[in-house]
């Protein structure tokens, strides 16, 4: 096949490209320039897609002997990922920018251009597995549960999966990938993984959002509506948060309180006891299926609500395009804006963005 290898500058994408070459494919490397900001140099292990990453990707391509290009996707990234991130926080939701980047950039904009240029597939260093099932191609978890990235790939459609290539899916561990990179002479073999939002390399999400949307003082209330503190911007809070609340009125039982809800219209943050974070039901939008859709409108599944969360057995129901999921045991601390990925065993069924939650602990009357 003609393969376009997306090379982030990290060890995973470099080894994935190397395996594609070794498999006999015609491979071209490409690094996506996602920011035009001058101060995007890496600090420690923070961020990704920086100037240094582009240079690391080029050096890896040189070692592999493949053509290499840098494509400017900064405008698409700004419009489809950064703007979405800001608007979601303004709406009181907690977004996952990596999901949007996979959906809108790596497997939409990049794949579209790759197909236009005659490539058969886009290769990435994601840890996930593609399986030829009875009803078509299926997306499954990776062999290494600790590195499995099928959750952040849950946004991919059947058409996109048909043009993707994940060479690392069956790799038993990240240590194997690093050792292989050393053997191949790739300078990124011991490069640290990035763990932060790439467009906020210093990790200060609250400060970054304050610059984008400003600050507006509002009330922090308990579940009864009593004012227990104040804040300087509801966008700086997310469901499940405990630290930094600076409440002026202690709880009656003396126990810590957590953010339960963010109400952007009234610029109010609701806090309460930890047990009130238990969620008995979620519902959402932006629904998509990774391959064949379920044949029934109600079906059993496992649901994962964070990249590294354990899957929870649940029952999903679809009515008029709205999906509702009721877990066998309550979820813990679910925030609107998070992505829920549905599984059947190791297979990804599909995903949706959580728009509504129902607490397992009723609020006091």
């Amino acid at each position: 096949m003609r393969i376009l290898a997306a090379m982030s500058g990290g060890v995973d994408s470099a080894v994935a490209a190397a395996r594609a070459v070794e498999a006999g494919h015609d491979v071209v490397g490409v690094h996506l320039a996602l920011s035009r900001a001058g101060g995007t140099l890496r600090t420690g292990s923070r961020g990704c897609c920086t100037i240094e990453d582009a240079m690391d990707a080029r050096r890896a391509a040189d070692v592999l002997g493949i053509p290499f290009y840098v494509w400017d996707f900064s405008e698409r990234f700004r419009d489809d990922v950064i703007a979405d991130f800001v608007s979601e926080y303004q709406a009181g939701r907690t977004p996952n920018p990596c999901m949007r980047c996979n959906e809108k950039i790596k497997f939409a904009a990049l794949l579209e251009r790759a197909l236009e240029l005659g490539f058969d597939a886009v290769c990435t260093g994601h840890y996930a597995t593609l399986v030829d099932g009875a009803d078509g191609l299926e997306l499954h978890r990776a062999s290494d549960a600790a590195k499995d990235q099928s959750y952040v790939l849950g946004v991919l459609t059947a058409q996109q999966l048909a043009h993707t290539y994940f060479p690392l899916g069956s790799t038993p561990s990240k240590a194997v990938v690093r050792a292989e990179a050393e053997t191949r002479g790739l300078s990124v073999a011991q490069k640290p993984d990035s763990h932060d939002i790439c467009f906020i390399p210093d990790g200060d999400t609250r400060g970054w959002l304050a610059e984008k949307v400003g600050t507006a003082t509002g009330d922090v209330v308990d579940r009864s509506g009593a004012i227990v503190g104040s804040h300087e911007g509801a966008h700086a809070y997310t469901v499940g948060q405990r630290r930094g609340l600076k409440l002026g009125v202690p709880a009656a039982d003396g126990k810590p309180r957590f953010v339960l809800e963010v109400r952007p219209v009234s610029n109010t943050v609701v806090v309460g006891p930890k047990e009130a974070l238990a969620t008995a039901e979620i519902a959402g939008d932006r629904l998509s299926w990774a391959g064949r859709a379920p044949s029934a409108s109600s079906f059993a599944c496992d649901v994962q609500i964070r990249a590294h969360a354990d899957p929870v057995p649940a029952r999903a129901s679809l009515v008029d395009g709205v999906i509702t999921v009721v877990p066998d045991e309550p979820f813990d601390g679910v925030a609107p804006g998070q992505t829920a990925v549905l599984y059947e065993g190791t297979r990804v069924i599909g995903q949706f963005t959580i728009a509504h939650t129902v607490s397992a602990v009723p609020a006091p009357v």
Side-chain angles (χ1 to χ4, degrees):
M1 294 189 295
R2 290 197 69 210
I3 298 288
L4 185 66
M7 303 181 70
S8 67
V11 63
D12 293 327
S13 61
V15 171
R19 290 185 180 183
V21 172
E22 190 171 63
H25 300 299
D26 178 11
V27 181
V28 173
V30 63
H31 178 81
L32 303 184
L34 301 180
S35 174
R36 293 182 179 178
T40 54
L41 292 177
R42 176 180 296 278
T43 302
S45 63
R46 294 187 178 277
C48 68
C49 314
T50 66
I51 296 170
E52 291 147 302
D53 291 318
M55 294 188 292
D56 286 341
R58 179 176 294 279
R59 281 190 285 267
D62 289 343
V63 170
L64 300 178
I66 61 174
F68 177 82
Y69 300 91
V70 175
W71 287 356
D72 183 357
F73 275 31
S74 58
E75 289 188 11
R76 287 288 299 266
F77 187 75
R78 179 197 63 201
D79 295 341
D80 292 340
V81 179
I82 298 178
D84 176 81
F85 183 82
V86 173
S87 64
E88 286 289 274
Y89 264 105
Q90 288 177 309
R93 291 152 64 109
T94 302
N96 186 325
C98 294
M99 300 289 281
R100 295 287 82 82
C101 186
N102 282 335
E103 177 186 20
K104 301 293 188 178
I105 305 299
K106 295 175 183 174
F107 296 97
L110 177 62
L111 181 56
E112 288 167 9
R113 184 176 294 185
L115 295 177
E116 289 172 357
L117 294 173
F119 289 94
D120 299 302
V122 166
C123 166
T124 73
H126 286 99
Y127 288 78
T129 306
L130 293 175
V131 175
D132 286 318
D135 298 309
L137 204 59
E138 298 175 349
L139 175 64
H140 284 253
R141 293 189 184 277
S143 298
D144 180 9
K147 291 297 296 180
D148 173 56
Q149 292 176 297
S150 59
Y151 172 85
V152 295
L153 298 170
V155 291
L156 302 190
T157 64
Q159 191 274 338
Q160 290 169 328
L161 290 174
H163 297 284
T164 58
Y165 185 47
F166 301 132
L168 303 188
S170 60
T171 307
S173 71
K174 179 66 172 271
V176 171
V177 171
R178 291 196 182 280
E180 182 176 332
E182 289 275 15
T183 301
R184 294 181 182 276
L186 298 171
S187 62
V188 293
Q190 299 305 319
K191 185 176 180 178
D193 294 334
S194 60
H195 299 288
D196 297 287
I197 299 172
C198 66
F199 51 88
I200 311 178
D202 64 0
D204 182 13
T205 302
R206 176 180 291 198
W208 187 90
L209 284 168
E211 290 183 3
K212 296 295 181 182
V213 303
T215 58
T217 302
D219 293 329
V220 178
V221 303
D222 63 18
R223 300 184 89 196
S224 71
I227 297 175
V228 296
S230 64
H231 64 78
E232 295 182 351
H235 59 266
Y237 297 83
T238 186
V239 171
Q241 180 178 334
R242 174 186 172 185
R243 299 185 183 279
L245 301 184
K246 300 178 181 178
L247 303 180
V249 180
D253 58 7
K255 293 182 179 180
R257 285 179 290 203
F258 298 76
V259 175
L260 304 180
E261 186 181 353
V262 177
R263 298 173 179 170
V265 175
S266 61
N267 194 29
T268 302
V269 176
V270 182
V271 298
K274 182 176 177 59
E275 54 266 25
L277 288 171
T279 303
E281 180 181 307
I282 58 176
D285 49 24
R286 290 185 177 180
L287 174 65
S288 66
W289 304 113
R292 62 178 169 83
S295 56
S297 59
S298 178
F299 56 92
C301 60
D302 293 324
V303 182
Q304 188 170 328
I305 58 172
R306 297 181 185 86
H308 303 293
D310 292 328
V312 176
R315 185 148 203 95
S317 301
L318 187 62
V319 179
D320 296 329
V322 176
I323 188 167
T324 301
V325 172
V326 178
D328 291 0
E329 297 290 337
F331 296 115
D332 181 32
V334 180
Q338 286 180 241
T339 300
V341 177
L342 312 180
Y343 289 83
E344 179 184 42
T346 62
R347 183 177 77 88
V348 175
I349 302 172
Q351 64 80 40
F352 64 93
T353 300
I354 299 169
H356 177 68
T357 66
V358 176
S359 175
V361 180
V365 178

